[in-house]
């Protein structure tokens, strides 16, 4: 059989085949789950060579595991990276990437709209080790560029953001960061490698919460960091010592989920676009956030740096929490939960999901209204999702009329 190189293959083909071949055994067509914690060597000289990295091989699962490596290779191929390292959760991936490279006295520039956990690392943990973090207004590229120009060691990005789907011009900000010699990391969870490959735009490390779209089934936690071989060697060393390794069972579920990543993301984006269009026409809706809408403030940047608009759409309901409490229970095809990126559609108010740690004042400062609801579209038929939301809106309107 010809060895697969994926040089000319497209993303859907890569999601199915990439990363697996080297890890198949006994003629299996699916990657085996290797649970052995340690690997044995009868020849002490060979053992020594593997242990000291002079020969390829496995020693201990905190360091490397074939099932986990197959997952890492799949992500690597999809992001166009040289290496990828998997973690026990998205937050483990983010914190490990940050702590691998940051030192006391360093300065980080980022934005106010990063994921809640990331924001806590910036505001609570990094100051403890004397790392200065500046969080800019996400909408203002000028402000971000001005802070970078003052000097920084790391620019940390997230685009699109959650839950207001703000967009950062990645190439533009990378240029500013490179001018001062800063590293650039990006959380690519919401975009997925199907819609956006930031390494091609000059970003140094791409991070995913694999718990979301990559695995796709809301039944496994995981994270992954990818980038150049030289940088990833440092991230690998941090993980092998600090220990937030991905479990082999989790890696298997990740591999299985990722085979349908492109199909899922395409269907989710189709529904998100349709729901965004529906929501824009509703009288009871104050605002709709979706990068695919021509009215999105950075729609031109979106079209330049993303292949698709993604499966997340958020809207602000007039009547705030009182209205949210009436609308959400009416929905039939919806989990009301805090996660995103699953095959089932998920509805969640920012107040109980992405920004639950914030006070009302903090949410207001971020422009997050109490009536904001995030929809993470699943893979149900688009028409059913529209009809479901429509009957819930009609029930809300009827309720408002009689009360
Ligand atoms: C969920 C999420 C994370 C954190 O990932 P976990 O797997 O829950 O630790 C980080 N960034 C984004 C954008 C997320 O949605």
């Amino acid at each position: 059989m010809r060895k697969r190189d994926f040089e000319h293959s497209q993303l859907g083909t890569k999601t199915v085949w990439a990363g697996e071949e080297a890890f198949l055994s006994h003629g299996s067509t699916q990657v085996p789950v290797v649970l052995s914690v340690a690997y044995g060597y009868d020849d002490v000289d060979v053992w020594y060579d593997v242990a000291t990295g002079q020969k390829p091989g496995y020693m201990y699962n905190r360091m490397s595991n074939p099932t986990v490596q197959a997952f890492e290779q799949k992500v690597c191929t999809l992001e166009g990276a040289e290496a990828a390292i998997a973690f026990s959760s998205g937050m483990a991936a983010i914190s490990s990437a940050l702590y691998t490279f940051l030192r006391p006295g360093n300065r980080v520039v980022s934005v106010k709209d990063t994921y809640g956990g990331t924001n806590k690392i910036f505001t609570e943990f990094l100051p403890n080790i004397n790392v200065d973090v500046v969080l800019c207004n996400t909408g203002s590229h000028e402000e971000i560029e001005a802070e970078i120009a003052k000097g920084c060691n790391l620019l940390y990005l997230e685009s699109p953001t959650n839950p207001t789907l703000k967009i950062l011009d990645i190439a533009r900000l990378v240029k500013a960061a490179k001018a001062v010699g800063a590293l650039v990391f990006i959380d690519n969870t919401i975009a997925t490698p199907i819609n956006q490959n930031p390494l091609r735009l000059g970003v140094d490390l791409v991070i995913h919460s694999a718990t979301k779209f990559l695995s796709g089934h809301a039944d496994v936690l995981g994270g992954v960091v990818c980038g150049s071989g030289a940088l990833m060697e440092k991230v690998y060393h941090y993980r092998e010592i600090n220990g937030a390794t991905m479990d082999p069972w989790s890696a298997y579920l990740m591999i299985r989920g990722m085979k349908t990543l492109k199909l899922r993301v395409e269907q989710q984006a189709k529904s998100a676009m349709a729901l965004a269009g529906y929501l824009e026409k509703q009288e009871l809706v104050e605002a709709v956030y979706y990068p695919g809408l021509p009215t999105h403030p950075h729609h031109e940047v979106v079209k330049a740096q993303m292949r698709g608009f993604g499966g997340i759409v958020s809207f602000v309901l007039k009547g705030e929490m009182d209205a949210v409490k009436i609308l959400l229970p009416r929905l039939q095809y919806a989990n009301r939960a805090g996660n995103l990126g699953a095959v089932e559609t998920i509805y969640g108010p920012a107040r109980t999901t992405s920004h639950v740690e914030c006070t009302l004042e903090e949410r207001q400062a971020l422009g997050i209204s109490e009536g904001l609801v995030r929809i993470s579209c699943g893979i149900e038929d688009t028409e059913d999702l529209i009809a479901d939301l429509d009957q819930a809106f009609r029930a809300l309107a009827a309720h408002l009329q009689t009360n």
Side-chain angles (χ1 to χ4, degrees):
M1 188 192 71
R2 223 183 106 202
K3 201 170 153 22
R4 301 180 192 105
D5 61 16
F6 302 108
E7 208 180 307
H8 303 290
S9 55
Q10 297 187 41
L11 288 164
T13 307
K14 288 176 183 170
T15 61
V16 175
W17 291 102
E20 301 187 22
E21 201 171 354
F23 304 99
L24 301 174
S25 59
H26 310 294
S28 70
T29 60
Q30 305 304 319
V31 173
V33 183
V34 180
L35 293 172
S36 178
V37 163
Y39 301 78
Y41 294 89
D42 293 335
D43 184 324
V44 176
D45 289 327
V46 174
W47 185 0
Y48 179 79
D49 287 346
V50 174
T52 53
Q54 297 171 74
K55 276 209 177 103
Y58 299 95
M59 292 297 301
Y60 190 63
N61 268 355
R62 175 154 40 73
M63 291 149 196
S64 54
N65 168 276
T67 317
V68 175
Q69 283 181 334
F71 164 66
E72 291 168 342
Q73 280 303 311
K74 204 184 262 305
V75 175
C76 213
T77 306
L78 282 168
E79 284 290 11
E82 284 172 16
I85 300 292
F87 290 88
S88 52
S89 71
M91 283 316 302
I94 291 166
S95 60
S96 298
L98 291 170
Y99 287 110
T100 299
F101 294 96
L102 292 173
R103 300 289 175 268
N106 280 179
R107 184 165 182 270
V108 178
V109 173
S110 189
V111 292
K112 289 184 178 156
D113 286 68
T114 54
Y115 178 73
T118 310
N119 184 268
K120 288 286 168 205
I121 297 181
F122 289 156
T123 54
E124 199 175 319
F125 291 95
L126 288 181
N128 284 342
I129 59 161
N130 196 26
V131 169
D132 184 25
V133 184
V134 189
L135 300 181
C136 303
N137 285 306
T138 312
S140 172
H141 285 78
E142 292 74 18
E143 185 187 338
I144 304 169
E145 282 169 332
E147 287 298 341
I148 294 168
K150 289 181 193 164
C152 75
N153 306 87
L154 172 69
L155 171 67
Y156 186 97
L157 307 174
E158 196 173 313
S159 182
T161 62
N162 167 31
T164 49
L165 289 306
K166 295 198 181 92
I167 297 290
L168 293 170
D169 185 334
I170 300 169
R172 175 174 166 181
L173 296 174
V174 162
K175 193 163 164 241
K178 293 296 145 191
V180 298
L183 283 171
V184 184
F185 298 176
I186 191 167
D187 183 332
N188 206 30
T189 302
I190 304 289
T192 80
I194 301 300
N195 288 332
Q196 177 170 286
N197 294 124
L199 295 173
R200 291 205 194 126
L201 302 171
V203 167
D204 295 296
L205 291 185
V206 168
I207 308 172
H208 285 278
S209 166
T211 311
K212 312 292 170 53
F213 291 98
L214 294 190
S215 71
H217 293 71
D219 55 4
V220 57
L221 277 175
V224 63
V225 181
C226 55
S228 71
L231 292 179
M232 291 310 299
E233 206 167 302
K234 297 193 168 97
V235 177
Y236 169 77
H237 182 60
Y238 187 92
R239 188 195 68 176
E240 77 170 326
I241 304 303
N242 287 278
T245 313
M246 179 177 276
D247 176 81
W249 280 120
S250 302
Y252 179 77
L253 290 171
M254 292 288 172
I255 293 166
R256 180 155 118 154
M258 277 184 73
K259 285 176 187 272
T260 56
L261 179 65
K262 185 170 178 243
L263 294 176
R264 286 186 281 111
V265 167
E266 284 176 350
Q267 177 61 24
Q268 286 160 337
K270 182 183 164 214
S271 289
M273 190 73 196
L275 286 172
Y278 170 86
L279 287 162
E280 270 200 316
K281 289 191 229 107
Q282 298 313 303
E283 241 169 68
L284 296 171
V285 169
E286 200 171 283
V288 182
Y289 305 110
Y290 187 61
L293 291 174
T295 48
H296 188 285
H298 294 110
H299 187 62
E300 290 309 311
V301 178
V302 173
K303 282 199 288 185
Q305 74 188 19
M306 297 181 78
R307 285 180 288 265
F309 305 129
I312 311 283
V313 52
S314 296
F315 64 100
V316 177
L317 211 47
K318 286 180 191 161
E320 306 205 332
M321 243 344 187
D322 290 342
V324 172
K325 283 179 194 169
I326 296 160
L327 185 85
L328 291 198
R330 298 280 176 170
L331 293 158
Q332 196 180 171
Y333 308 120
N335 280 322
R336 284 146 285 256
N339 62 320
L340 56 89
V343 288
E344 299 92 1
T345 292
I346 307 162
Y347 279 70
R351 189 171 87 160
T352 58
T353 59
S354 59
H355 289 74
V356 67
E357 310 95 339
C358 298
T359 61
L360 174 65
E361 292 71 33
E362 284 171 332
R363 278 194 295 276
Q364 280 169 347
L366 286 169
I368 292 173
S369 151
E370 294 301 283
L372 191 143
V373 176
R374 177 183 71 204
I375 312 174
S376 169
C377 294
I379 60 168
E380 303 91 343
D381 289 295
T382 303
E383 297 74 11
D384 289 334
L385 294 182
I386 297 277
D388 194 26
L389 187 56
D390 188 47
Q391 61 81 24
F393 263 106
R394 278 187 278 121
L396 173 61
H399 176 95
L400 293 176
Q401 238 164 25
T402 54
N403 282 274

